[in-house]
Amino acid sequence: MTGKNGTIEIEGSDDHERQMKPLVSKEVNPGSSDGNSLLGKLALSVCPQRPEFCISATKFSFCFVGLQASYLLWGYMQELIMTKTFTPTESAPNGKFPSAAFCVFSNRFLAVIVAMIAVKIKHGSVFANNKAPLLAFTPCAVSNTVSSWSQYASLKFVSFPVQTVFKSSKIIPVMLMGKFLQNISYPFSQYIEAFFITVGVAIFSISSKSSDSDTTTNLVGLLFMLCYICSDSFTSQWQHRVYNTYGKANIDPYQMMLGVNSNAIIITTIGLLVSGDYAKVYEFLLVNPHALLYNVVTAITSASGQLFIYYTIKEFGPIVFTIIMTVRQMISICISSIVFHHEIDSIALLGAFLVFGVLFYQIRRKYLAKHGRA
């Protein structure tokens, strides 16, 4: 799965996986690094009798709240930018934000800055210690840019709840890309799970077509979403390929983030110049300066969310991270339905429950498999 800033969310990587452990997992003393951290000191002041539990619980709460706040606000701002009717301009007479590509550009611009700072702090140099050349990241940068653009553009045609549920079906193209690019074989049970997720997505999408009165679910929107999941699937598999080619010990997630987004900045800049969207966006933002604020907030929450991803996986492993993000998807659907008045009938809810039911079953299966190997 690909993160919002163009990096792989390493939930399937054996090198980063940990068991889903109970919060009480190790001895912690006040003089340890955990005890001396800001979160550690806060936890010890609240519950000095059980420091190891309190420190882990505080870290988990920090991760949970950080991920939820970042990506719930990111999703809300994304839908607001693409669906709100602003003051019309000559190039945008309908009052809609004129360029999904600019939204991608703003996210990538801040992502590059964050990645450069992180790589500089960790490695002492921005590019010198990266074993993989920038060109190695170009294919996944192109696919990541296309997937992000499609995600924004689709909101003109499908509601955010439909988009969120539809994203869950990308397990199928991920498996196909894995087979095509890396000759990976998957067990039959995973194809069955993918089938039920697809059925749930189809039920939710078809039902929402008649129940959503604000944003019509039509073929164009679904084609944008299909483009998104295929491009996003290619991105994650190509990033795996880069890790395998140059060695995971030689490329950390921040270097991957820097490589992908450096290429993406060049791609989006060329796209904006060729399409003439720069002039349209400039005119639009002069008339609607608050639209620029929306883009800035989206970029900030996207970058902060990426940092929370790394910290959560480092502290608790990919299974806990996946649970948090699955819960986030469910909450985001509820928030979008309330704030933007999307109607979801009982049949659509059945499709959503089927999708999330299979997702939680996958999480449980992966946890049991890891626990059995421990």
Side-chain angles (χ1 to χ4, degrees), residues 10 56 83 90 123 134 140 158 161 193 264 269 274 329 365 367:
I10 42 185
S56 294
T83 62
E90 183 177 349
H123 299 283
L134 279 179
C140 56
V158 301
E193 294 168 0
T269 300
V274 172
Q329 287 181 311
R365 173 176 56 76
Y367 165 64

Side-chain angles (χ1 to χ4, degrees), residues 211-232:
S211 63
D212 192 338
S213 59
D214 294 324
T215 309
T216 303
T217 302
N218 57 28
L219 181 60
V220 176
L222 296 180
L223 288 175
F224 273 125
M225 287 308 302
L226 182 62
C227 181
Y228 161 78
I229 61 175
C230 290
S231 300
D232 195 55

Side-chain angles (χ1 to χ4, degrees), residues 95-265:
K96 299 296 184 181
F97 194 80
S99 176
F102 179 82
C103 297
V104 179
F105 170 82
S106 61
N107 285 350
R108 299 298 175 267
F109 181 80
L110 184 58
V112 166
I113 296 175
V114 172
M116 291 177 67
I117 294 173
V119 172
K120 177 67 175 178
I121 292 174
K122 188 171 183 179
H123 299 283
S125 175
V126 176
F127 289 106
N129 295 319
N130 196 336
K131 302 299 182 182
L134 279 179
L135 284 177
F137 304 100
T138 302
C140 56
V142 172
S143 61
N144 179 258
T145 301
V146 172
S147 68
S148 297
W149 176 82
S150 300
Q151 184 178 4
Y152 276 101
S154 68
L155 287 173
K156 295 180 179 180
F157 305 97
V158 301
S159 67
F160 186 81
V162 170
Q163 185 193 79
T164 301
V165 175
F166 199 95
K167 288 179 186 178
S168 302
S169 66
K170 68 182 178 183
I171 181 176
I172 296 177
V174 165
M175 294 167 69
L176 294 176
M177 291 293 179
K179 181 68 175 177
F180 175 73
L181 292 176
Q182 304 189 72
N183 199 29
I184 298 175
S185 298
Y186 298 94
F188 181 72
S189 59
Q190 291 193 22
Y191 289 99
I192 298 298
E193 294 168 0
F195 170 76
F196 280 113
I197 288 177
T198 304
V199 171
V201 170
I203 293 174
F204 189 90
S205 301
I206 294 173
S207 178
S208 297
K209 183 174 182 179
S210 59
S211 63
D212 192 338
S213 59
D214 294 324
T215 309
T216 303
T217 302
N218 57 28
L219 181 60
V220 176
L222 296 180
L223 288 175
F224 273 125
M225 287 308 302
L226 182 62
C227 181
Y228 161 78
I229 61 175
C230 290
S231 300
D232 195 55
S233 302
F234 176 88
T235 301
S236 62
Q237 293 294 346
W238 187 270
Q239 287 175 322
H240 272 303
R241 183 168 175 171
V242 172
Y243 278 126
N244 292 334
T245 301
Y246 296 95
K248 294 180 181 179
N250 298 322
I251 305 174
D252 65 23
Y254 300 110
Q255 290 172 318
M256 176 67 76
M257 181 178 177
L258 177 61
V260 172
N261 286 287
S262 296
N263 280 275
I265 279 291

Side-chain angles (χ1 to χ4, degrees), residues 9 23 34-35 54 73 82 227 297:
E9 294 171 6
L23 290 176
D34 282 340
C54 289
L73 182 56
M82 299 309 297
C227 181
V297 173

Side-chain angles (χ1 to χ4, degrees), residues 12 24 26 63 275 315 357:
V24 181
K26 60 180 179 179
C63 293
S275 65
E315 292 293 330

Side-chain angles (χ1 to χ4, degrees), residues 16-35:
H16 298 273
E17 288 181 352
R18 294 182 180 180
Q19 302 291 340
M20 181 192 287
K21 299 177 180 178
L23 290 176
V24 181
S25 58
K26 60 180 179 179
E27 291 291 331
V28 176
N29 60 71
S32 67
S33 59
D34 282 340

